[in-house]
């Protein structure tokens, strides 16, 4: 079965993704951190299964989404927190 590819926005970067990719994977492809810690450190996905909360980002205006648990959809906009 063919996988559909499309563009989503991660911060200001456009990334080509497929329907079987998580938003966390798209953020890594874009080279963007998911969030910035209170000490100013860029944070990225760690567990990949919804437990560590390191992959939180704003997805289509919804804050604190665990991006490893959200699949990419066309037109999506993701912003680092
Ligand atoms: S990578 Fe751990 S909750 Fe998403």
């Amino acid at each position: 079965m063919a996988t559909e590819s499309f563009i989503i926005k991660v911060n200001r970067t456009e990334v080509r993704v497929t329907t079987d990719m998580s938003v966390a994977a798209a953020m890594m492809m874009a080279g963007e951190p998911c969030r910035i810690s209170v000490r100013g450190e860029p944070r990225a996905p760690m567990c990949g299964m919804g437990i560590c909360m390191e992959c939180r980002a704003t997805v289509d205006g919804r804050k604190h989404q665990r991006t490893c648990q959200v699949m990419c959809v066309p037109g999506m906009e993701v912003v680092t927190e």
Side-chain angles (χ1 to χ4, degrees), residues 3-57:
T3 304
E4 180 188 357
S5 89
F6 48 86
I7 300 288
I8 69 168
K9 253 190 190 172
V10 178
N11 294 329
R12 293 191 178 95
T13 304
E14 290 188 342
V15 185
R16 180 162 290 280
V17 297
T18 56
T19 49
D20 57 358
M21 286 180 59
S22 70
V23 173
M27 294 190 86
M28 304 250 337
M29 283 176 58
E32 297 288 328
C34 293
R35 66 184 189 88
I36 305 296
S37 76
V38 291
R39 296 198 317 199
E41 300 162 335
R43 307 300 296 183
M46 190 168 81
C47 73
M49 57 186 187
I51 295 172
C52 74
M53 309 295 272
E54 291 290 352
C55 65
R56 285 173 290 156

